[in-house]
Amino acid sequence: MIPVKKLVPLQNLDLKIDAANAAIEEKKQKILKMQKEIDAAAELAEKKKALLKKIQLRRRTAETSLNEVNDSIKASDIKMKSAGLSPASYAALEKEIKLLRSKYSELETAVLEDMEKIEKLEHDIPKEEKVVAGRKIHLEEVKARVTDEILGLKKEIELFKTERSQASLNIESDSLELYEDLRQQLKGRVIFPIETPACPGCGMALPGGFVSAASAHDGAEKCTNCGRLLYWTGDRN
């Protein structure tokens, strides 16, 4: 039999401390998540800016090539109109112009496609940068609020710890040491009231002898499976 009447209030304080620490961690993770999302959005905007520069350069190169091909077409066209041009030369020039016009068409299509991409990027990038800037401002506001909330939780934890220290003074050393060891091993709640032959901590069924022993006194018995402390609150025969 393990005395638990004084351990239960101690556990209640520990659970409050656990809950406060969990709330602090949740708030910290919320800030980290927001920061990561903003960083990802900012990185995407930077990638789009780099892509915009790349496409602009590609378009300028294509436009230069387009002008060169157009000049070549004009020059070949002039040659075709020259007097005394042999049929073979005329046919060669005609073939060359056909190839140049095909190349011109491909370059023209590429330039038009790049112009559409540039127009979209030039529209999207400032918009996305504005959103990122707004989210950064919002993040700073959330950080300020969360910092105050965390400070309040830390003050609560200190009060709980003070109460805990005072409560632990009235607990027998053997019982306190057992409880502390269980908390270290299992984390969270380690003392449970039971009304049925099952451990709420691990979910395992309890043997009849365990129930008989637990219901015979006001203390606790260790779960035969997980070692948690279980005290009977059901009907007593």
Side-chain angles (χ1 to χ4, degrees), residues 10-37:
L10 190 71
Q11 175 175 257
N12 290 338
L13 289 170
D14 281 335
L15 293 175
K16 288 179 180 179
I17 292 170
D18 290 345
N21 280 322
I24 289 173
E25 184 59 27
E26 183 180 353
K27 292 177 186 298
K28 288 180 178 179
Q29 290 301 318
K30 177 183 178 181
I31 295 297
L32 287 174
K33 182 181 178 183
M34 290 178 68
Q35 184 66 63
K36 285 180 180 179
E37 289 173 349

Side-chain angles (χ1 to χ4, degrees), residues 116-198:
E116 289 180 3
K117 292 175 182 176
I118 288 168
E119 183 179 356
K120 187 176 187 308
L121 287 168
E122 287 178 338
H123 174 268
D124 290 347
I125 290 170
K127 188 176 178 181
E128 291 178 9
E129 288 180 329
K130 185 176 180 180
V131 170
V132 169
R135 291 175 71 179
K136 285 181 177 178
I137 292 171
H138 176 61
L139 176 60
E140 292 305 313
E141 293 171 351
V142 173
K143 278 183 178 179
R145 185 177 71 249
V146 167
T147 298
D148 289 341
E149 291 172 351
I150 288 176
L151 182 61
L153 287 167
K154 286 182 176 180
K155 288 180 179 178
E156 285 184 13
I157 289 172
E158 289 306 312
L159 289 174
F160 292 145
K161 285 183 176 180
T162 299
E163 289 183 50
R164 187 189 191 284
S165 296
Q166 293 172 347
S168 64
L169 295 174
N170 299 318
I171 301 173
E172 296 79 359
S173 60
D174 289 346
S175 297
L176 182 59
E177 184 177 352
L178 173 62
Y179 170 75
E180 298 288 15
D181 287 344
L182 285 172
R183 281 273 301 176
Q184 184 68 27
Q185 294 169 23
L186 303 173
K187 312 298 180 187
R189 193 171 184 177
V190 296
I191 305 173
F192 289 89
I194 57 170
E195 296 181 354
T196 59

